[in-house]
Amino acid sequence: RAKEIKTKLGTLLQKPDSAIDFIIPYPEKPEKPPKAQKPSPEEALQWRDSLEKLLQNPYGLTSFRSFLRSEFSEENVEFWVACEDYKKTKSPVKMVEKAKKIYEEFIQTEAPKEVNIDHFTKAVTMKNLVEPSPSSFDMAQKRIFALMEKDSLPRFVRSEFYQELIK
């Protein structure tokens, strides 16, 4: 409970990217992706049963992310996206940099956006980071995907924004 409050306070106390954040309030509704096309109701309906399809769709990912941000629980989807980006990294030097950043932001104890993974998964991930490879975060990413599938996706599907998409 204390950690949850600390995370929410940390989010609120983060420096805005620019002074413009003080002038323009954040939108009430989730932001729409710049080039992503709004899905058909049929396509959006498929997201109910497939987190994978939701995350692969740029509009779906942005909608899901905005929904989780409104609940102060976006760290899981941010971690998942960071892992996807990490796996595409070819340069060993860049891979080490990204691995360190992901570890510091999401994995280490008291990280600013610490994800909820068990001790064993954390230990395996830390061991994998001794020599970073594209699969270093696979176990942790699978655990977080399962958590989002079981917990976040059902809440998103019940949300007003999702309900509007399937009309």
Side-chain angles (χ1 to χ4, degrees), residues 4 15 20-21 28 67 119 137-138 145-146 148 151 160:
E4 194 176 288
K15 266 190 182 171
I20 197 93
D21 288 346
E28 288 298 312
F67 167 74
H119 182 71
F137 293 101
D138 283 1
F145 183 90
M148 289 191 301
D151 184 48
E160 195 178 297

Side-chain angles (χ1 to χ4, degrees), residues 102-154:
I102 291 170
Y103 174 77
E104 289 173 353
E105 194 171 351
F106 300 102
I107 304 290
Q108 78 180 5
T109 305
E110 301 297 320
K113 297 178 182 178
E114 187 178 357
V115 291
N116 186 7
I117 54 174
D118 58 273
H119 182 71
F120 176 75
T121 303
K122 188 180 277 197
V124 168
T125 303
M126 288 167 63
K127 186 174 173 254
N128 290 345
L129 293 178
V130 172
E131 286 185 42
S133 73
S135 62
S136 293
F137 293 101
D138 283 1
M139 181 184 277
Q141 189 183 19
K142 282 184 179 104
R143 294 274 197 277
I144 292 304
F145 183 90
L147 187 66
M148 289 191 301
E149 199 169 42
K150 187 182 86 190
D151 184 48
S152 307
L153 182 62

Side-chain angles (χ1 to χ4, degrees), residues 5 14 24 41 68 78 115 141 150:
I5 292 169
Q14 282 180 351
I24 302 170
L68 292 176
E78 287 183 13
V115 291
Q141 189 183 19
K150 187 182 86 190

Side-chain angles (χ1 to χ4, degrees), residues 6-18 21-22 26 69 72 74-75 78 105-106 111-114:
K6 182 181 173 193
T7 303
K8 286 180 183 179
L9 278 174
T11 303
L12 292 172
L13 294 173
Q14 282 180 351
K15 266 190 182 171
D17 290 334
S18 68
D21 288 346
F22 290 116
Y26 289 105
R69 191 173 299 123
F72 301 100
E74 73 269 22
E75 66 280 348
E78 287 183 13
E105 194 171 351
F106 300 102
K113 297 178 182 178
E114 187 178 357

Side-chain angles (χ1 to χ4, degrees), residues 3 19 36 46 60-61 70-71 82 84 87 90 93 103 113 120 127 147 153 157-158 161:
K3 186 174 181 181
Q46 294 178 350
L61 175 60
S70 76
E71 291 196 330
E84 288 298 295
K87 286 192 265 188
K90 301 288 180 224
V93 173
Y103 174 77
K113 297 178 182 178
F120 176 75
K127 186 174 173 254
L147 187 66
L153 182 62
V157 166
R158 289 190 301 268
F161 185 72

